[in-house]
Amino acid sequence: MSLFGSSEKKPELKTEFVFDTETNINQSSLAKDVKINGSLESTDYIDFGGHLTGTLKSSTINLKPGSYVKGTISANTITIEGEVDGDIQVKDLFIKSTAKIKGNIRYQNIDIQNGSIINADLIYSS
Amino acid sequence: MNDNNSESANDEIQSTPIDNDAKAVNIGSGVRIDGRIEGAETSDISGTFIGTLKSSNININGKGAFSGDMLGQDITISGNVDGEINSEEYLTINKSGNIKGVIEYSSLQVSYGAKIQGTLRHRGSVQSYSSVTTDEIKEDEVNENQEGDD
C-alpha cells in the first residue's frame, strides 16, 4: 500500500520495464577467469569466455576468443572463436578465424572463416 | 544431347588459338573423363572427372563432379566431390559445394550452406602419430645426453 503512495519509486519501475522489452532475452555472460567442471545449461544466450570441462547446452552459444571447452556442446546456434575439444551438436555453426576445434561436429549449416584450425569429423544431418 | 551447344563450343575452339604453354585443363559440362592428370597449372571442371588430379589451381564448378583424389595449392569447390582433397594453400568451399571424404587443408573457408561429410585435417597440426614419434626421439636424445653427462 505504501508503494502506491510513493512517487519516488515510479521512475525506477519504469526504467526496469523499458530495459526488459528492449533485450527480451536471458543473456548470460561468463568471463575469462571462470572455470567450470560439470554442466552449464541455459534456454537462451550464453556468452562464454572461460574454461569448461563437461557439458554446455543452450539455444545460442558464443565461445569468445580465449575460451576453452572440453566435452559436449549442443545448441541451435554456436559461434566459436575459442578452443573446443569434444563433440558439437548444432543447427547453425559459425567458426571464426581464431577457433581451434578437435572432435566430432554434427551440424546442419556450417560457415568457416580462413585461419581456423579444425581437426574433426563432420557429420551433416538435415 | 544439345547439338546447338556443342556446335557453338566447336566454333569457339577453332576461332581462338590454343596456347600449349598454358598448362590448362578444362573439362566442359557434359564431358566425362576417367584417369590421371598431373602437372597442370589450372584445372576447371564443369563436367565429370573420376581419378587423380594434381594441379596448382583447381576449380570444381557448380555443375562439376569429382570422384577420387585431388592435390593442389588453391582449390575452389562449388560442385560435388567424393574422395580426398589435399590443399597446400587456400581451400574455398562455396555454398553450393557438396563434399564427402577426407579434407586436408592449410587455410579453409566454407560458406554457409555448403555440405561436408567426412574428416577435416589441418596440415599444420601435429597428428597423434607424429607426436608419438617426436616424443620418442626427444626421450632418446635425453637418454643420450644423460649418458654423456655420466
Side-chain angles (χ1 to χ4, degrees):
Chain A
M1 274 187 280
S2 60
L3 277 171
F4 290 106
S6 153
S7 58
E8 282 170 15
K9 279 188 179 174
K10 268 183 185 171
E12 261 180 53
L13 284 166
K14 216 175 184 180
T15 50
E16 248 180 279
F17 182 71
V18 169
F19 177 74
D20 215 352
T21 49
E22 266 182 359
T23 56
N24 211 20
I25 51 163
N26 297 313
Q27 183 170 339
S28 310
S29 188
L30 291 105
K32 253 184 184 177
D33 59 341
V34 172
K35 275 188 186 161
I36 301 171
N37 267 309
S39 143
L40 178 60
E41 278 185 40
S42 160
T43 50
D44 261 329
Y45 184 98
I46 299 178
D47 212 13
F48 190 77
H51 283 217
L52 180 132
T53 307
T55 312
L56 187 54
K57 201 174 173 182
S58 184
S59 170
T60 305
I61 296 170
N62 186 13
L63 298 175
K64 294 201 281 194
S67 64
Y68 176 77
V69 177
K70 191 183 167 82
T72 309
I73 307 172
S74 60
N76 232 350
T77 307
I78 303 175
T79 304
I80 301 174
E81 292 176 285
E83 202 174 324
V84 176
D85 184 352
D87 294 342
I88 299 167
Q89 183 141 24
V90 65
K91 194 170 159 255
D92 290 332
L93 179 60
F94 298 91
I95 300 172
K96 302 293 183 190
S97 60
T98 50
K100 231 175 137 179
I101 301 168
K102 213 168 100 183
N104 299 303
I105 302 170
R106 199 178 281 271
Y107 73 98
Q108 218 178 86
N109 292 300
I110 198 164
D111 183 294
I112 303 172
Q113 261 185 13
N114 262 335
S116 55
I117 297 170
I118 308 164
N119 287 294
D121 282 341
L122 296 190
I123 302 146
Y124 169 77
S125 58
S126 53
Chain B
M1 281 187 272
N2 271 328
D3 287 334
N4 289 336
N5 281 350
S6 58
E7 266 172 29
S8 63
N10 284 338
D11 288 345
E12 272 176 35
I13 290 164
Q14 278 164 3
S15 61
T16 52
I18 296 163
D19 182 2
N20 284 322
D21 297 325
K23 293 181 180 174
V25 175
N26 196 346
I27 300 174
S29 156
V31 177
R32 183 195 147 120
I33 294 181
D34 288 67
R36 185 182 179 92
I37 295 172
E38 271 182 57
E41 202 76 53
T42 56
S43 299
D44 275 294
I45 296 172
S46 303
T48 304
F49 181 83
I50 299 163
T52 304
L53 172 61
K54 287 182 184 175
S55 172
S56 304
N57 293 288
I58 299 172
N59 203 345
I60 312 287
N61 294 313
K63 284 179 183 170
F66 182 96
S67 182
D69 299 340
M70 70 168 91
L71 174 68
Q73 285 176 324
D74 294 354
I75 301 176
T76 305
I77 291 163
S78 311
N80 283 297
V81 174
D82 190 344
E84 210 162 301
I85 300 170
N86 207 316
S87 163
E88 285 169 346
E89 270 171 46
Y90 296 105
L91 174 60
T92 308
I93 301 169
N94 291 324
K95 63 177 180 182
S96 57
N98 192 344
I99 298 170
K100 221 172 167 180
V102 179
I103 299 169
E104 218 172 288
Y105 75 97
S106 294
S107 180
L108 172 69
Q109 198 205 309
V110 178
S111 296
Y112 185 90
K115 290 172 192 167
I116 306 167
Q117 183 102 27
T119 305
L120 275 183
R121 281 195 216 124
H122 183 253
R123 283 176 72 93
S125 301
V126 179
Q127 302 295 327
S128 55
Y129 175 75
S130 57
S131 73
V132 168
T133 51
T134 50
D135 283 345
E136 280 171 355
I137 290 163
K138 274 177 193 164
E139 272 176 31
D140 287 346
E141 278 174 1
V142 168
N143 289 339
E144 275 173 20
N145 288 341
Q146 281 174 343
E147 281 167 21
D149 290 339
D150 290 336

